[in-house]
Amino acid sequence: MINGALSKLFGVDHERRKLTANKAELIRTQVYYEVLQSMTTRQYIMGLFSISEEDYTTTLQKFKVDYPDAVYLQSREEIIRMMVDTFATKK
């Protein structure tokens, strides 16, 4: 009882719930960030469209704006397909 009151007083429970929610969000978005940060993905897209590093970065930003919900996709293939679509229509 005292432990619970102290936790509430000092906000420990609130912080614990916040950290748990943040961890759950990171897990839900992990695949997306792994794909976007992957050197293999970068090289594949750059080679596929024969583009420079600068063009890749610029178009990647467009992808993030065009597909904000992609962050929750769990399929690497689907994320890459969406990226390819964005890069194919960048001009």
Side-chain angles (χ1 to χ4, degrees), residues 3 14 16 29:
N3 191 22
H14 174 72
R16 187 176 300 132
T29 60

Side-chain angles (χ1 to χ4, degrees), residues 21-85:
N22 287 343
K23 185 176 180 180
E25 181 70 10
L26 284 173
I27 290 169
R28 287 178 40 204
T29 60
Q30 181 176 358
V31 172
Y32 174 81
Y33 289 112
E34 285 176 357
V35 170
L36 263 55
Q37 294 173 357
S38 167
M39 186 56 75
T40 304
T41 301
R42 178 182 298 263
Q43 290 171 344
Y44 171 72
I45 298 285
M46 288 175 65
L48 185 64
F49 295 103
S50 300
I51 58 174
S52 68
E53 185 83 25
E54 183 178 335
D55 287 340
Y56 176 83
T57 303
T58 302
T59 308
L60 184 60
Q61 294 305 318
K62 181 181 180 329
F63 166 76
K64 291 176 183 178
V65 171
D66 289 350
Y67 297 102
D69 294 335
V71 72
Y72 297 109
L73 293 174
Q74 294 298 306
S75 166
R76 295 176 191 279
E77 294 78 17
E78 183 67 13
I79 296 167
I80 292 172
R81 186 197 58 75
M82 293 169 90
M83 288 176 72
V84 167
D85 288 348

